[in-house]
Amino acid sequence: MATPESGATLESVAFAAGVSRQTVSNVLNAPERVAPETRQRVEEAIQALRYRPNRSARSLRTRMSNLIGYCVQPALAGNINPVLDRFVHAVTEYAAEHGFHLLLFTAPAGSAGLDRYAELLAQRAVDGFLLTDTVVGDPRPGWLTEQGVPFVAFGRSWSGPDRGRWVDVDGAAGMTEAVEHLHALGHRRIAFIGWPEGSGVGDDRVAGYTAACLRLGLDPRVVRAEGTVDTGRALAGALLDGADPPTALVCVSDLSAYGALRALADRGLRPGPDVAVVGFDDTPAARLPGVDLTSLSQPIEQIGREVVQMLLGLLGVVELPPGPEHRLLRPTLVVRASSRPAGSAPAAPTEAR
Amino acid sequence: MATPESGATLESVAFAAGVSRQTVSNVLNAPERVAPETRQRVEEAIQALRYRPNRSARSLRTRMSNLIGYCVQPALAGNINPVLDRFVHAVTEYAAEHGFHLLLFTAPAGSAGLDRYAELLAQRAVDGFLLTDTVVGDPRPGWLTEQGVPFVAFGRSWSGPDRGRWVDVDGAAGMTEAVEHLHALGHRRIAFIGWPEGSGVGDDRVAGYTAACLRLGLDPRVVRAEGTVDTGRALAGALLDGADPPTALVCVSDLSAYGALRALADRGLRPGPDVAVVGFDDTPAARLPGVDLTSLSQPIEQIGREVVQMLLGLLGVVELPPGPEHRLLRPTLVVRASSRPAGSAPAAPTEAR
DNA sequence: AATCCGGATTTGATCGTTCAACACGTCGAG
DNA sequence: CTCGACGTGTTGAACGATCAAATCCGGATT
C-alpha cells in the first residue's frame, strides 16, 4: 500500500466527492452551510484521501499563521528552568487543542532583542507572542502594545504603565503562607533571605513576608544578596552566627534555600527540628532525599492554560474570557522535612520520583 | 511617525524601485543575477519600506515551511529536563542562522503518537523532525524513514535496523573514563549502579563500565533497579553493608547517584574520602554545595549544532556534511568532591553559580 | 402564473511569492 | 551578415486555500 497520495488538495477532494472546492472548504470551516447529505459525502472523500488543509495556503489567505512566538532564554544555568519546561509543555498542549503551535526563537535581552520580534511580525510568521521572564524595565510589553501586537505575559509588567494582559504567581501570598505556616509551628524569629532590591519578583516576595510578619506581630528581618547557593549560604551563616539568631529562614528561591541548608549543615544544625527553611519554586532537587526542602510550588499547568486562553482570546479564536486583564494565581506550599519539627511524619510517603 | 506600513510586498517594493516583482525577488534569492546598480536601488527600497518576504506565501510556492517539528515530552519530573532545555536553546539558535525555526508539538509515546507527526506532514507545517529521547523499540525512526521524511535524532536508534541519521553521547566511553579516573585514584573495588536491562542508554553505559573493569583487571560488579533516588539509595546501601564492600560507586545517572550519596550519609561515610561516587548528566543539583557530585557532562551545545547541520543538510539547505551518518560525542568528566580523596583541593574554585 | 425568498452550491478573484519562459540588446564567432 | 550565447529584466502562471458575489432551484407568496 503506497503512501495515500501525500498531496491531496481541496480540488482533488472536491472532484472525488463530486462537488466544488468551496463546498469542501465549507464542510471544514462552516459545516452548517452544507446539506447533511453532501457533507457526509465530502467527509468520506476527505477520509479516503487523508486530506489536511495546507497550512501555508490557508495562512496566506487568512493572514493568520496559527503560530505563537515564544522566546527561549539563554538557559540560566539550572535556575528556573524546570518551571519553564513544564510551562512550555502545558502551553504547547493547550494551544494544540485550537490548532495553534509554538514557534521558538532566541533574542538578546532588553531592547536589543526587539528586532527579532519585529522580524517575525514583518514576515507574518506569528500571530502573537507569549512572554516569560518579564523583568523591571522590560521594553517588550510597551513596545508590543504600541505596535498593536497581541501578546500575553507569564509575569506582570513590573514597571511603568501596566500594559497588556498577564498571568502571574502571587509571590507575596505564597510568602505570607510560608510565614503563617512557620508561625503555626511556633516559630517567632523568622528571617528572610532575599535578592537585592529592584527585581520585581524579589520585591513582591519580600513584601508578602513583611506584611505577614507585621500582621502576626513579628519583627521582619530581611537580608539580601544575589540569589546563588553560595550567597544564600553566606547570608544564612551570618544570621545564625549573629545575635538573636532566627529559628526559621524564608528564602526568596530554592537556590538561596539550598545555600541556607548548607549553612545549617556547616554548623551541625538539623533543618526542621533546629532551624526551619522554606524555599520557592519547588525545583526538582527540593524533593531529593537529604534535601527535603519545604517550598512553594507554582501552578504551572494552570498558568499555561490561562495564558493560552487569553492569547487566543485576543486573536479572536476563542471567546475572550470576561475576567480582568490580569490573573494572579496562588502558589501552594509543599511541606517537607526542612520545616517539620522533630519526630513528626518520620518517613514521608514516597513522593513520586 | 506611524508604523512604516506593516504591509510591504514585493510589488510595492518593485514599484518604489522602478523595477518588476521578479527583480526584487532575485535581489533576495539570487543577487548575482541582478546588475549591481539596480540591486542597490532595490536594496534601498527594501530598507525604506522595511520589507520582509511573507513566509506563508513563500512556503506555499516553494513547498518548504522552514519549520522543524520538535516533540516536547511530558516532563519526566525533573529527570533529564535541564539537558533538554539547553539542547532546545542551542538548536533554536543554530537553526535561526539559516532562517529555520522550531515548531513545538506534543504526542503520546510509542506508535500512538505517530498521527501527530503525520498530521503536521500532511498540513505541510514542517519540513522535517528532530527527535529526542529515542528508546528501544521506538517506532519513529523506522516510520519516518519509510515515509521518506527528513529527520535527525539526538539518540541512536537502539533496536532493529539502524535507520536515519543521529547524533549521540558515547555513554560507554564516559563510563570508561569514570572507571579509569577512579582506578587512578587507587580504587580497586568499583561497583556499578544501573538500570534494569533493556534500556538502550543504560545498557550502553554499563557496557563501558564493564569493558574498562576487564581491561584494568578489576571485577565488574553490577546491580540494577529503576533509576530513582530511592532505589539508588537502596542498592548502594546493600552494597556497602554486604561482604567486600566497594570503595567506589559508578552510577548510571545523577539520580541514582543522589541516592548513593544518601546511602553514604546514612552510614556516616564521607563521599570522596571514604567512598567515591560518580554520576551521569551533570544535572544542576550536582554542583550544589553539599552535593558536589562528580558527573559526566554531555556536550549539548555541540550536539545541537551537529543535529541542526545534519537536518539542514538533508533538507538541502546547507551542504550535507560528508562524514558518516552517525556521530558519537564523548561526554567530559567533571570532577567534584564526591570523588576526591581527603584533603585534595579543599575549597574548590567557585564554580559558576 | 409571475414573483420573491432563502438555503445550497458554484464561480471568479485574491493573498504574496517563486518558477518557467520569454523579450531585449549586445557581443563574438563563423 | 547572420546566428547563437549571454546578461538583464520582464510577464504569465502557478502554489492551495478563503472571501465575496453570483447562480441555481424548489416552495411559499401574491
Side-chain angles (χ1 to χ4, degrees):
Chain A
M1 171 180 102
T3 309
E5 23 258 297
S6 59
T9 73
L10 268 190
E11 203 86 45
S12 65
V13 173
F15 179 80
V19 295
S20 73
R21 264 177 329 195
Q22 187 61 33
T23 300
V24 181
S25 173
N26 285 338
V27 167
L28 294 167
N29 302 317
E32 74 282 1
R33 290 191 187 172
V34 181
E37 190 200 320
T38 16
R39 189 191 314 171
Q40 169 142 12
R41 195 151 32 96
V42 170
E43 274 163 355
E44 279 163 11
I46 289 178
Q47 290 284 334
L49 296 179
R50 297 227 199 297
Y51 168 74
R52 291 289 178 281
N54 180 308
R55 261 183 127 98
S56 305
R58 173 177 278 182
S59 296
L60 176 59
R61 188 57 175 118
T62 63
R63 302 167 156 282
M64 288 221 93
S65 65
N66 282 27
L67 292 175
I68 298 168
Y70 177 79
C71 179
V72 293
Q73 317 279 352
L76 301 165
N79 202 347
I80 46 174
N81 284 346
V83 173
L84 285 186
D85 221 39
R86 287 169 53 207
F87 177 72
V88 167
H89 187 266
V91 164
T92 303
E93 195 131 44
Y94 294 128
E97 290 173 9
H98 300 276
F100 276 71
H101 292 279
L102 243 50
L103 178 147
L104 298 190
F105 65 104
T106 58
S111 49
L114 292 181
D115 314 7
R116 303 285 179 89
Y117 291 77
E119 178 86 7
L120 290 171
L121 289 168
Q123 298 178 143
R124 294 195 173 280
V126 300
D127 297 331
F129 290 96
L130 231 50
L131 307 185
T132 55
D133 295 309
T134 52
V135 296
V136 171
D138 200 315
R140 299 176 297 170
W143 185 81
L144 290 171
T145 305
E146 276 170 27
Q147 307 283 318
V149 179
F151 76 97
V152 176
F154 168 16
R156 60 201 100 168
S157 30
W158 291 106
S159 56
D162 187 20
R163 282 170 153 172
R165 302 196 164 237
W166 51 255
V167 179
D168 204 354
V169 172
D170 194 340
M175 285 315 190
T176 295
E177 188 175 346
V179 171
E180 287 167 352
H181 161 67
L182 295 169
H183 184 265
L185 290 174
H187 293 278
R188 291 299 177 269
R189 293 197 307 284
I190 306 174
F192 187 88
I193 295 183
W195 291 326
E197 261 180 299
S199 90
V201 174
D203 293 351
D204 177 45
R205 293 184 186 173
V206 77
Y209 158 83
T210 307
C213 285
L214 295 180
R215 193 148 41 72
L216 294 170
L218 307 179
D219 255 358
R221 194 161 156 202
V222 176
V223 294
R224 300 168 181 274
E226 299 301 325
T228 70
V229 175
D230 289 324
T231 58
R233 184 179 181 178
L235 289 178
L239 284 171
L240 295 171
D241 296 338
D244 202 21
T247 66
L249 298 171
V250 176
C251 305
V252 69
S253 79
D254 276 2
L255 232 49
S256 303
Y258 296 139
L261 289 178
R262 187 64 190 148
L264 295 194
D266 293 340
R267 289 162 181 75
L269 297 169
R270 294 164 303 165
D274 295 332
V275 177
V277 179
V278 179
F280 203 115
D281 279 344
D282 195 23
T283 43
R287 65 189 60 186
L288 292 183
V291 177
D292 243 340
L293 175 69
T294 295
S295 190
L296 284 151
S297 169
Q298 308 190 19
I300 294 294
E301 277 72 23
Q302 192 189 347
I303 294 172
R305 176 171 30 234
E306 305 240 1
V307 156
V308 168
Q309 199 170 14
M310 274 196 188
L311 185 52
L312 294 185
L314 290 178
L315 293 174
V317 175
V318 302
E319 209 157 340
L320 195 56
E325 297 205 337
H326 314 312
R327 293 268 290 142
L328 262 189
L329 304 177
R330 294 181 64 106
T332 60
L333 188 70
V334 180
V335 177
R336 298 202 183 85
S338 78
S339 75
R340 280 201 217 99
S344 89
T350 331
E351 256 176 289
R353 320 197 71 200
Chain B
M1 172 180 100
T3 308
E5 24 257 293
S6 60
T9 73
L10 268 191
E11 203 86 45
S12 65
V13 173
F15 178 78
V19 295
S20 73
R21 261 177 331 190
Q22 187 61 33
T23 302
V24 181
S25 174
N26 285 338
V27 167
L28 294 167
N29 301 319
E32 75 281 359
R33 290 191 186 174
V34 181
E37 189 199 321
T38 7
R39 190 193 312 171
Q40 169 143 12
R41 197 152 31 98
V42 169
E43 275 164 354
E44 279 163 11
I46 289 177
Q47 290 285 333
L49 297 179
R50 296 223 200 301
Y51 170 74
R52 292 288 178 281
N54 180 307
R55 261 185 127 97
S56 305
R58 172 176 280 181
S59 297
L60 176 59
R61 189 56 177 121
T62 63
R63 301 166 159 281
M64 289 222 91
S65 65
N66 283 28
L67 292 175
I68 298 168
Y70 176 79
C71 179
V72 294
Q73 317 279 354
L76 301 166
N79 202 347
I80 47 176
N81 285 345
V83 173
L84 285 186
D85 221 39
R86 287 168 53 206
F87 176 72
V88 167
H89 187 265
V91 164
T92 304
E93 195 131 44
Y94 294 127
E97 290 173 10
H98 300 276
F100 276 71
H101 291 279
L102 243 51
L103 178 147
L104 298 190
F105 65 103
T106 58
S111 49
L114 291 181
D115 314 6
R116 303 285 179 91
Y117 291 77
E119 177 87 6
L120 289 171
L121 289 169
Q123 297 178 141
R124 294 194 173 282
V126 299
D127 298 330
F129 290 97
L130 231 51
L131 306 185
T132 55
D133 294 308
T134 52
V135 296
V136 171
D138 200 314
R140 298 176 298 169
W143 186 80
L144 290 171
T145 306
E146 276 170 27
Q147 307 281 320
V149 179
F151 75 99
V152 177
F154 168 16
R156 60 202 99 169
S157 31
W158 290 106
S159 56
D162 187 20
R163 282 170 153 172
R165 302 195 163 238
W166 50 255
V167 179
D168 204 354
V169 173
D170 194 340
M175 285 316 191
T176 295
E177 188 175 344
V179 171
E180 287 167 351
H181 161 67
L182 295 168
H183 184 264
L185 290 174
H187 291 279
R188 291 299 177 267
R189 294 198 306 284
I190 306 175
F192 188 90
I193 296 183
W195 291 326
E197 260 180 300
S199 90
V201 174
D203 293 352
D204 177 45
R205 293 184 185 172
V206 77
Y209 158 82
T210 307
C213 284
L214 295 180
R215 191 147 42 73
L216 294 171
L218 307 178
D219 254 358
R221 193 160 158 204
V222 176
V223 294
R224 300 170 181 272
E226 300 300 327
T228 70
V229 174
D230 290 324
T231 58
R233 185 179 181 179
L235 289 178
L239 285 170
L240 295 171
D241 296 340
D244 202 21
T247 66
L249 299 170
V250 176
C251 305
V252 68
S253 79
D254 276 3
L255 232 48
S256 303
Y258 296 139
L261 288 179
R262 188 66 190 145
L264 294 194
D266 293 341
R267 289 161 182 75
L269 297 169
R270 293 165 303 164
D274 296 331
V275 177
V277 178
V278 179
F280 202 115
D281 279 343
D282 194 24
T283 43
R287 66 188 59 187
L288 291 183
V291 177
D292 244 339
L293 175 69
T294 294
S295 190
L296 285 151
S297 169
Q298 310 191 19
I300 294 295
E301 277 72 23
Q302 193 188 346
I303 295 173
R305 176 170 31 236
E306 305 240 2
V307 156
V308 168
Q309 199 169 12
M310 274 196 188
L311 185 53
L312 294 185
L314 291 178
L315 293 174
V317 175
V318 301
E319 208 157 340
L320 196 56
E325 297 205 337
H326 314 312
R327 293 268 289 143
L328 262 188
L329 303 177
R330 294 182 63 106
T332 60
L333 188 69
V334 180
V335 177
R336 298 202 183 86
S338 78
S339 75
R340 281 202 215 96
S344 88
T350 332
E351 254 176 292
R353 322 197 71 202

